[in-house]
């Protein structure tokens, strides 16, 4: 039986990045002869992202590009729930649409998953030849600090707790989303903590995180406050 992979791409103002990320996914998965679909979940982007997505649907076909837009920005967690409802794959890949995650890593995730039938594979900036590109010292410091404090308090047994490039068995992702209460930026962190609680097996693959090429970062002061609150909540409840 040929396994199928559903790639969820939540988008908000990504009209410049979307054609590039879709092209790269297509390129690397076709080369590796991997069966896949890309589910684009646009949250009412005012910049015309959905119109670009419709053009991509015409180019690559409706079997490869599934458009599942929503009327407004409703958060990352609900975007995944929405995407999973329409996914026909055995596995779900979640990644950012802003080119910070390179699709060439997806075949590496799949290879790693098959080695020990892992429930979850997560990309890590903190193992092997993983790292970041295009960040200034301040952002590196914030990221490393957030990860260090998270490791200290939550002990998740994963080196990169705040990453958002992952592969899940579909039933595992559905179960994890059921148990998560966080929204937004901290959602990814809670997913790993819950995976540990439920004794799911987690494999790691080194990745290089690249700062977005087009558009503005969506991480601001409110997300950092939210992160601290969620970290304390998870520490108290897990």
């Amino acid at each position: 039986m040929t396994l199928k992979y559903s790639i969820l791409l939540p988008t908000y103002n990504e009209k410049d990045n979307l054609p590039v990320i879709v092209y790269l996914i297509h390129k690397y998965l076709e080369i590796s002869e991997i069966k896949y679909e890309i589910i684009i979940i646009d949250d009412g982007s005012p910049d015309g992202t959905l119109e670009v997505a419709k053009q991509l649907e015409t180019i690559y076909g409706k079997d490869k590009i599934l458009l599942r837009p929503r009327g407004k920005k409703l958060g990352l967690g609900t975007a995944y729930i929405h995407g999973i409802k329409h996914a026909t794959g055995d596995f779900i890949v979640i990644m950012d649409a802003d080119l910070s995650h390179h699709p060439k890593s997806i075949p590496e995730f799949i290879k790693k998953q098959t080695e020990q039938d892992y429930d979850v594979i997560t990309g890590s900036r903190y193992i092997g030849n993983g790292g970041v590109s295009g960040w200034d010292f301040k952002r590196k410091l914030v990221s490393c600090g957030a990860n260090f404090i998270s490791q200290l308090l939550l002990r998740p047994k994963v080196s990169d707790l705040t990453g958002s490039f992952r592969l899940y068995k579909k039933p595992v992702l559905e179960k994890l989303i059921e148990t998560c209460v966080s929204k937004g930026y901290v959602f990814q962190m809670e997913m790993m903590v819950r995976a540990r609680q439920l004794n799911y097996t987690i494999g790691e693959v080194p990745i290089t995180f690249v700062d977005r090429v087009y558009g503005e970062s969506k991480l601001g002061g409110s997300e950092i406050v939210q992160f601290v609150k969620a970290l304390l909540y998870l520490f108290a409840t897990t």
Side-chain angles (χ1 to χ4, degrees):
M1 184 184 77
T2 304
L3 295 171
K4 185 176 181 181
Y5 297 82
S6 298
I7 298 153
L8 305 189
L9 284 184
T11 57
Y12 187 77
N13 288 349
E14 299 290 0
K15 73 178 176 68
D16 294 319
N17 293 316
L18 191 59
V20 185
I21 194 78
V22 167
Y23 165 75
L24 290 171
I25 291 170
H26 174 76
K27 175 185 173 183
Y28 284 97
L29 271 58
E30 287 288 332
I31 288 171
S32 304
E33 298 183 343
I34 293 164
K35 190 178 179 184
Y36 70 96
E37 63 186 4
I38 302 170
I39 302 175
I40 299 170
I41 307 130
D42 186 63
D43 271 6
S45 297
D47 74 338
T49 298
L50 186 57
E51 285 65 36
V52 170
K54 286 174 182 174
Q55 292 173 15
L56 294 170
E57 181 186 52
T58 303
I59 294 166
Y60 293 98
K62 291 186 177 181
D63 60 323
K64 286 283 190 277
I65 307 289
L66 282 70
L67 306 185
R68 297 296 181 264
R70 305 187 296 175
K72 60 181 180 178
K73 202 172 182 184
L74 297 167
L76 197 58
T78 59
Y80 291 139
I81 293 166
H82 184 70
I84 289 169
K85 286 177 186 171
H86 302 283
T88 59
D90 307 281
F91 293 84
I92 307 283
V93 175
I94 63 170
M95 64 189 300
D96 294 343
D98 62 6
L99 301 176
S100 55
H101 300 141
H102 201 299
K104 68 181 180 182
S105 297
I106 297 174
E108 295 170 21
F109 281 27
I110 293 169
K111 183 173 179 287
K112 181 75 174 180
Q113 191 280 326
T114 57
E115 285 175 10
Q116 294 187 39
D117 193 29
Y118 286 107
D119 296 309
V120 183
I121 298 296
T122 185
S124 175
R125 295 162 289 182
Y126 303 115
I127 60 166
N129 59 354
V132 295
S133 176
W135 280 10
D136 59 18
F137 178 74
K138 182 184 173 184
R139 190 161 178 201
K140 285 181 181 177
L141 193 64
V142 169
S143 175
C144 289
N147 198 61
F148 175 75
I149 294 166
S150 305
Q151 295 287 345
L152 198 66
L153 294 180
L154 304 177
R155 304 188 184 280
K157 300 178 182 174
V158 208
S159 67
D160 191 347
L161 192 55
T162 56
S164 55
F165 190 5
R166 295 178 184 149
L167 180 149
Y168 295 87
K169 289 180 179 175
K170 187 181 177 183
V172 169
L173 182 56
E174 289 170 332
K175 179 66 178 174
L176 287 172
I177 285 176
E178 263 178 42
T179 62
C180 284
V181 298
S182 304
K183 298 285 184 288
Y185 175 66
V186 293
F187 174 77
Q188 305 289 11
M189 181 173 72
E190 186 179 355
M191 293 278 276
M192 289 296 95
V193 175
R194 302 296 177 196
R196 182 205 66 191
Q197 279 186 319
L198 295 167
N199 294 316
Y200 287 131
T201 54
I202 304 170
E204 294 190 86
V205 170
I207 61 162
T208 298
F209 182 97
V210 181
D211 202 19
R212 62 163 46 247
V213 179
Y214 300 110
E216 295 179 3
S217 173
K218 300 174 182 77
L219 178 61
S222 63
E223 281 80 7
I224 292 169
V225 171
Q226 195 182 18
F227 170 80
V228 173
K229 284 181 180 175
L231 184 61
L232 295 173
Y233 168 79
L234 289 172
F235 177 64
T237 59
T238 59

